[in-house]
Amino acid sequence: GIQVGVFVAWCLWHDGGALRLHGTAPLPLAVGLALVAIGQALNYAVFRRLGRVGVFYGVRFGHEVPWCTAFPFSVIRHPQYVGALLSIWGLFLVARYPQPDWLLLPLLETVYYGLGARFESDREQA
């Protein structure tokens, strides 16, 4: 919810208080929608594999969550992070491209998710 609020606030701020979709060019629009679809499919697959408790870090709250190596974990180490990032990039292609700010927030989110994946991997190895 917080992340969606940040995205909406970003778009409102940069559009003078209105929500407008700028992605009307066919290629960026198609790529953006495809990225959102793939990202959400990955997130759905993670949810199906881990369930609600697993997706929301239940293991850190003492819940038993078995380690999963089936798809999508068999293909991508952090499919939920990748799914979220694909969705963010797709959303900003659709909502902000070709505005000059369209690249900034997705790049920042990529850094955040990359660091999160790195820290999570360090924790797994410890």
Side-chain angles (χ1 to χ4, degrees), residues 8-26:
V8 169
W10 180 277
C11 291
L12 286 170
W13 177 267
H14 288 280
D15 264 342
L19 284 177
R20 288 180 225 134
L21 295 180
H22 294 275
T24 56

Side-chain angles (χ1 to χ4, degrees), residues 8 10 21-22 26 32 46 52 62 66 68 80 83 91 95 100 108 111 115:
V8 169
W10 180 277
L21 295 180
H22 294 275
V46 169
R52 184 179 187 156
C68 183
Q80 190 173 6
L91 174 70
L108 184 61
V111 170
L115 289 171

Side-chain angles (χ1 to χ4, degrees), residues 35-112:
L35 288 174
V36 170
I38 294 166
Q40 290 306 298
L42 278 172
N43 286 330
Y44 177 76
V46 169
F47 195 86
R48 292 275 306 185
R49 288 290 180 200
L50 299 182
R52 184 179 187 156
V53 171
V55 167
F56 295 110
Y57 301 105
V59 72
R60 295 196 182 134
F61 297 107
H63 295 278
E64 185 73 27
V65 180
W67 192 256
C68 183
T69 57
F71 180 82
F73 296 94
S74 61
V75 179
I76 302 170
R77 184 169 177 92
H78 297 284
Q80 190 173 6
Y81 291 171
V82 171
L85 281 173
L86 289 175
S87 296
I88 291 165
W89 279 96
L91 174 70
F92 273 80
L93 269 172
V94 170
R96 297 298 305 156
Y97 184 85
Q99 302 305 310
D101 67 297
W102 86 271
L103 195 60
L104 185 58
L105 199 53
L107 281 173
L108 184 61
E109 290 286 325
T110 300
V111 170
Y112 287 157

